[in-house]
């Protein structure tokens, strides 16, 4: 048998494991980002959050109204 033969099953398994590791890293990164955003939100008083939400709603509403015409 040729010494350089390599079973493709090992490559498939290695590829699958690498994909799982990348997915796990992406999930951890997303969770860390969400936690950072939550910390920023926690620093902000509720009134400022409501003002920000209302501004965003108004912008979205205006954009949707512009789309219809």
């Amino acid at each position: 048998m040729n010494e350089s033969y390599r079973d493709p099953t090992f490559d498939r398994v290695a590829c699958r494991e690498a994909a799982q590791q990348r997915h796990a890293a992406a999930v951890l990164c997303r969770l860390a980002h969400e936690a950072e955003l939550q910390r920023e939100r926690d620093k902000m008083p509720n009134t400022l959050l409501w003002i920000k939400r209302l501004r965003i709603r108004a912008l979205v509403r205006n954009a949707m109204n512009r789309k219809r015409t």
Side-chain angles (χ1 to χ4, degrees), residues 1 8 25-26 35 47-48:
M1 185 181 239
T47 52
L48 291 179

Side-chain angles (χ1 to χ4, degrees), residues 1-46:
M1 185 181 239
N2 190 355
E3 290 295 323
S4 66
Y5 174 76
R6 190 169 162 164
D7 189 354
T9 306
F10 293 117
D11 290 333
R12 278 186 247 136
V13 170
C15 183
R16 188 181 313 132
E17 288 176 350
Q20 288 172 345
Q21 287 178 349
R22 284 193 305 273
H23 176 71
V27 167
L28 286 176
C29 184
R30 187 177 67 236
L31 289 174
H33 181 68
E34 288 173 1
E36 185 178 337
L37 290 176
Q38 186 60 44
R39 281 193 299 275
E40 288 295 319
R41 275 189 231 116
D42 290 344
K43 290 179 190 174
M44 211 181 289
N46 281 339

Side-chain angles (χ1 to χ4, degrees), residues 50-61:
W50 277 109
I51 291 170
K52 202 176 214 180
R53 284 185 190 134
L54 291 173
R55 284 182 183 159
I56 291 171
R57 278 189 201 155
L59 289 172
V60 169
R61 193 177 306 121

